[in-house]
Amino acid sequence: MAAARRLSLRHVGLTAENPSVGTLLVQGEGGDARIVGRGVTAITGRPHSERVALEDAGAAARGATAYVTLEPCAHHGRTGPCADALAAAGVARVVIGAADPDPRVDGRGIAILRKAGIVVRELFEAGGSGRPFEGFLSRLRRGRPHVTLKMAVSADGAVGRPGPERVGISGAVANRQVHLMRAGMDAIMVGVGTALADDPMLTCRLPGLEARSPIRIVVDPQLRLPLGSRLVRTAVDVPTLIATTRAADAAAVPYRRAGCGLVPLEGYDADDLRALLRFMPSVGVQSLMVEGGPALANAFLWAGLVDRIVLVRSAAVVGDLGIAAPEGVLAPRGFRLGRRERFGADVWTEWERDDACSPES
Ligand code: AOF
Ligand code: ZN
């Protein structure tokens, strides 16, 4: 199952409203076991991983054990249910890594398998299925994406300095980790202040992973993003959305012409952000990384809409003019430490919200 989960990671961030699932088909047991088929949910979400693995295995699927990271589906989409496909191929046993709460599945996949005489084992992880299903679960349970807030904070507690000049806070290794994290997200969001200060690209620029850049979203109530910014100029290549109160204005027309999508936004308070998040699944966004700046970070924290905080503490010193990091980031309350690692001079910590993905949160 661990190998199937690693396989599933390949398409995280690329399967739109579908979760990325991994399937391994195995013949034999113990030391004689060998993998006869591998599958991961295809880019765009179809075909499902079971079909890919069955195709890969061909006749060798007969009598095999399938390790599937999510309950095989029971509904008719572009193809019939995966549970039926596994049964038709003569698979003998199915080990399942997580229940599928999709109302069209929700135990029906397991029922189909059992009815077909297949031995089913539920290997559900305690405490939910975590990554890579958190975005999918968040959409189903709360109708909004899973939200990761990422902040780099200097030794003297600053996230940047006012003015046009960009200050480097985190080091090269941590920055590459951020790019790797972007590759696994459906969307990445910044406030217009950050877009004005940094003129960022917000893409994944790791060699070989450039095509995995997520959708970019700029929260820009007054439509201040320059038409000459790199975000607008590259909107034709990397999908870019601007969330603004002026989506219906004439001022929005040139942005549309440049290839940007405009999303109506009422304002910056909790209900407005909540409405914006609820819109996101409709454009295939189940996981979102908020990359700053401090105003947007504060608004998300204040609204209680952050599920994970990624905090990069660096040794850099910004000095007197530094913009202070939001209090809720430096001492996250209601979050527990999930990961701590050192990257060069930087300390990378990840904080998981205690009740992330519960229907109320
Ligand atoms: C599987 N195997 O690899 C995946 C599954 O829109 P559809 O018809 O593709 O169905 C989407 C649902 O299928 C999704 O909500 C989830 O329940 C399931 N995803 N199921 O058997 C897979 N990715
Ligand atoms: Zn399926």
Side-chain angles (χ1 to χ4, degrees):
M1 188 55 76
R5 287 204 175 101
R6 278 196 298 277
L7 180 64
S8 78
L9 294 179
R10 288 190 190 182
H11 286 175
V12 171
L14 300 175
T15 52
E17 73 282 359
N18 228 326
S20 183
V21 177
T23 297
L24 288 177
L25 291 165
V26 176
Q27 285 283 4
E29 271 175 51
D32 293 330
R34 76 205 147 77
I35 294 170
V36 296
R38 291 177 175 77
V40 54
T41 310
I43 292 172
T44 73
R46 281 272 180 177
H48 288 176
S49 60
E50 296 90 326
R51 304 226 163 235
V52 179
L54 288 171
E55 176 98 356
D56 187 32
R62 190 154 295 278
T65 299
Y67 292 84
V68 192
T69 61
L70 183 72
E71 177 183 359
C73 69
H75 66 282
H76 288 262
R78 259 175 278 162
T79 51
C82 288
D84 285 341
L86 290 165
V91 167
R93 275 176 302 276
V94 178
V95 185
I96 300 173
D100 185 349
D102 187 310
R104 298 169 297 176
V105 187
D106 199 18
R108 289 184 191 87
I110 291 175
I112 293 176
L113 295 171
R114 290 224 162 99
K115 209 165 162 203
I118 294 173
V119 179
V120 178
R121 207 171 120 213
E122 294 168 16
L123 208 64
F124 299 170
E125 278 186 334
S129 12
R131 287 182 249 190
F133 291 145
E134 59 199 13
F136 171 63
L137 294 178
S138 178
R139 169 175 68 81
L140 280 174
R141 294 188 184 149
R142 311 184 293 190
R144 68 147 172 105
H146 183 277
V147 177
T148 297
L149 172 66
K150 178 241 131 188
M151 292 239 98
V153 181
S154 68
D156 52 344
V159 293
R161 198 186 281 139
E165 189 193 338
R166 187 177 183 160
V167 277
I169 292 178
S170 45
V173 184
N175 289 344
R176 283 200 288 276
Q177 287 291 321
V178 171
H179 281 240
L180 187 60
M181 208 161 178
R182 286 177 179 174
M185 296 281 169
D186 293 330
I188 174 167
M189 180 185 275
V190 293
V192 68
T194 296
L196 289 170
D198 296 350
D199 196 16
M201 278 291 277
L202 305 178
T203 49
C204 170
R205 288 189 297 282
L206 296 176
L209 292 179
E210 295 90 345
R212 304 195 47 163
S213 294
I215 293 179
R216 306 175 298 190
I217 304 172
V218 183
V219 177
D220 184 8
Q222 295 312 318
L223 219 46
R224 292 195 295 145
L225 185 66
L227 286 165
S229 64
R230 297 208 283 175
L231 286 166
V232 177
R233 281 192 282 124
T234 57
V236 181
D237 302 313
V238 187
T240 306
L241 300 178
I242 305 174
T244 178
T245 57
R246 305 183 62 191
D249 282 15
V253 174
Y255 292 93
R256 281 213 182 82
R257 269 199 205 119
C260 298
L262 278 96
V263 184
L265 174 77
E266 288 293 317
Y268 230 82
D269 69 23
D271 285 339
D272 303 327
L273 292 179
R274 222 170 264 126
L276 180 59
L277 289 183
R278 271 199 301 269
F279 157 83
M280 286 189 193
S282 71
V283 287
V285 174
Q286 312 191 111
S287 60
L288 171 73
M289 174 145 78
V290 177
E291 280 213 41
L296 190 65
N298 260 326
F300 266 88
L301 287 165
W302 190 248
L305 292 170
V306 176
D307 300 310
R308 173 181 302 124
I309 297 172
V310 174
L311 177 62
V312 187
R313 286 309 298 255
S314 86
V317 174
V318 170
D320 289 345
L321 291 173
I323 302 166
E327 190 58 34
V329 163
L330 295 181
R333 256 186 292 146
F335 289 77
R336 70 196 139 69
L337 184 63
R339 179 182 174 202
R340 186 179 192 281
E341 242 167 298
R342 189 172 270 282
F343 295 126
D346 299 329
V347 178
W348 175 293
T349 50
E350 294 183 14
W351 302 83
E352 309 288 339
R353 175 160 147 175
D354 294 331
D355 61 348
C357 285
S358 68
E360 313 73 46
S361 59

